[in-house]
Amino acid sequence: MKTITMITGKDIRDMGFPPGKWYREAIDHINENKLSKEATEVYLEQFKLPPSQPLFDQPVAYNLNISAENDLEEENVAKVKETMDAVMRTPTVIGGSVMPDACPAGPIGTIPVGGVVATKNAIHPGMHSADICCSVMLTDFGKADPKLILDAAHETTHFGAGGRPRGQQFKLPDDLKAAFEANDFLLDQKSLSIAQEHLGTQGDGNHFLFVGTSAKTGNTMMITHHGSRGPGARLYTKGMATAARFKEILSPETLRQNAWIPFDTEEGQDYWEALQTIRKWTKLNHELLHDAVAQKTGALRENRFWNEHNFVFKDGDIFYHAKGATPLDAKFMPDITGPRLIPLNMAEPVLIVEGPTTQTNLGFAPHGAGRNMSRSQHKRNLEHLTNEEIFAQETKGIDARFFSNEIDISELPSAYKSATAVREQMDEFGLGTVLDEVMPYGCIMAGDWQKNAPWRRKKRNRRG
């Protein structure tokens, strides 16, 4: 028998195997044992992937828990349905659901915000998006003064691009650092660096810090909303690249944004573990802000709970990809400590909810109020008013603040769907029961931080 001398990764790729972590071990084994071509083929059989899978001819059935009340909403629902129909032709998909706050989030075939897609034995990075583990945490501070809490939170939190300044950073715990170092998806100097720098930051967009009072108890409650910042974004990029490599072998027809990593591969196992580490990092990010406010004010914590709404949840070999959907089912949250949170907008209550899993909700509820139009379209609709006029009208009665001191009208209440309509549809479609409401006192958001970003200031100075 003819032996293969010094087989390479290219040789294995040419034999139809996508690059994987097992390559190095396989190459060493084949070369050290001087396997024949036939023996090499037998040895590599264990790494063989399933045959290429075409798209389904028709979308897998899914639940549309949303209704339209006007022409704008009808257009939005039509777009959501169009993109969801394309998603549901992906060959790993077995079910799905759409929440009342749904809106498109990219080209046709991209999972919409407010979408849940269940797949078998496959993790789809594009379906949890770059803001991995976007989540909300509530701390009940008892009878503390809400202004005291909001002021302390303003001194503590950090919105905008990048990390916290040196001297104001929180320490990355040794065990969490070790978890980054133990995972190939997380082990690189940049990821480790920003895991340290971004702790205690909230980013921008619709992320917020909200202070209000319980409608039931009158207690002051603080709620933070943000995701995994830079560390999560870097994991997403690596996950998408890995899924793209599998896609070329497993399903060339699948849209790039719906490519997947098979869970039963080494890459799939590592990616799942990386997601759990990012989840721990994000939960810690919330906790550090809440604990710092408690320390500044001397307020006592009476209760605390949290939930993700941008994540992948596992039940056996089924993976539920929630892109802006709140888990109702306790099986999705191994550290569940209380009910779930659904924020609407800065002038509306944050809902505290629970509810049963049904065939139509798949164990999920909405995550907020959603949008019927883009940020830019909303701004165009209000061009006849100044930002200051819009801000005064829409934040009347609450202490609304922008961390950058620049108003972002695309995050004011009118940019979102009707909170009343979302609540009515929650009842209509069985998407959770409201246990309590956190009535708004005040809110902090990033604001238009790019307006005076350093690179813009330099550009203006050059022009001057």
Side-chain angles (χ1 to χ4, degrees), residues 48 173-174 252 296 302 339 396:
K48 194 171 184 179
D174 291 340
K296 278 180 183 290
E302 295 196 6
K396 189 174 182 180

Side-chain angles (χ1 to χ4, degrees), residues 2 32 113 154 364:
K2 184 179 178 181
E32 288 171 5
V113 173
H154 203 157
F364 291 86

Side-chain angles (χ1 to χ4, degrees), residues 136-390:
V136 277
M137 178 175 282
L138 176 149
T139 296
D140 183 339
F141 284 122
K143 301 305 179 186
D145 180 353
K147 184 179 188 306
L148 181 70
I149 298 296
L150 188 64
D151 287 345
H154 203 157
E155 294 173 3
T156 302
T157 190
H158 183 284
F159 284 91
R164 297 180 74 95
R166 289 192 179 277
Q168 298 180 26
Q169 293 181 2
F170 294 99
K171 184 182 184 301
L172 182 68
D174 291 340
D175 61 338
L176 199 50
K177 184 179 182 218
F180 272 78
E181 293 172 337
N183 189 285
D184 284 350
F185 280 103
L186 301 174
L187 178 57
D188 65 80
Q189 193 52 50
K190 182 65 174 175
S191 292
L192 286 168
S193 177
I194 60 177
Q196 169 66 67
E197 295 167 10
H198 285 202
L199 268 180
T201 70
Q202 296 194 249
D204 56 9
N206 66 350
H207 298 151
F208 63 76
L209 190 152
F210 180 101
V211 174
T213 54
S214 162
K216 279 193 170 181
T217 67
N219 285 2
T220 294
M221 296 176 168
M222 186 179 98
I223 297 158
T224 47
H225 172 221
H226 59 74
S228 51
R229 306 288 288 114
R234 288 182 64 79
L235 174 59
Y236 165 78
T237 299
K238 293 180 181 181
M240 288 296 288
T242 300
R245 291 196 295 271
F246 277 108
K247 169 182 129 57
E248 296 308 313
I249 302 296
L250 295 176
S251 185
E253 290 183 16
T254 291
L255 296 172
R256 184 181 184 281
Q257 61 265 43
N258 294 329
W260 71 89
I261 306 173
F263 179 64
D264 56 8
T265 63
E266 196 171 359
E267 290 84 353
Q269 300 283 317
D270 281 355
Y271 192 72
W272 176 251
E273 288 305 317
L275 287 172
Q276 307 321 302
T277 296
I278 288 296
R279 182 181 188 271
K280 291 175 184 174
W281 185 95
T282 308
K283 185 180 181 184
L284 175 65
N285 197 8
H286 285 283
E287 290 171 339
L288 289 170
L289 293 174
H290 287 243
D291 290 347
V293 170
Q295 187 174 8
K296 278 180 183 290
T297 61
L300 298 178
R301 184 182 93 189
E302 295 196 6
N303 201 356
R304 176 178 290 172
F305 42 89
W306 86 303
N307 62 262
E308 317 98 307
H309 48 232
N310 242 41
F311 204 59
V312 185
F313 303 90
K314 183 177 180 295
D315 183 21
D317 62 354
I318 307 303
F319 292 81
Y320 293 83
H321 300 75
K323 171 68 180 296
T326 300
L328 287 173
D329 200 316
K331 69 185 177 184
F332 295 136
M333 298 188 66
D335 54 358
I336 187 168
T337 57
R340 264 60 91 212
L341 302 164
I342 302 178
L344 298 169
N345 65 60
M346 65 172 65
E348 294 284 344
V350 172
L351 308 180
I352 300 177
V353 306
E354 67 177 11
T357 297
T358 68
Q359 287 187 336
T360 55
N361 69 26
L362 299 186
F364 291 86
H367 86 304
R371 297 176 185 267
N372 278 323
M373 69 186 81
S374 67
R375 295 171 187 269
S376 55
Q377 181 59 54
H378 175 255
K379 289 179 179 180
R380 286 194 292 271
N381 290 349
L382 297 174
E383 283 178 339
H384 60 290
L385 298 171
T386 67
N387 284 355
E388 288 72 20
E389 288 171 331
I390 300 165

Side-chain angles (χ1 to χ4, degrees), residues 105-142:
I108 298 299
T110 303
I111 185 174
V113 173
V116 179
V117 176
T119 65
K120 190 173 181 64
N121 200 36
I123 306 175
H124 296 250
M127 292 186 189
H128 60 55
S129 80
D131 197 10
I132 300 174
C133 202
C134 191
S135 46
V136 277
M137 178 175 282
L138 176 149
T139 296
D140 183 339
F141 284 122

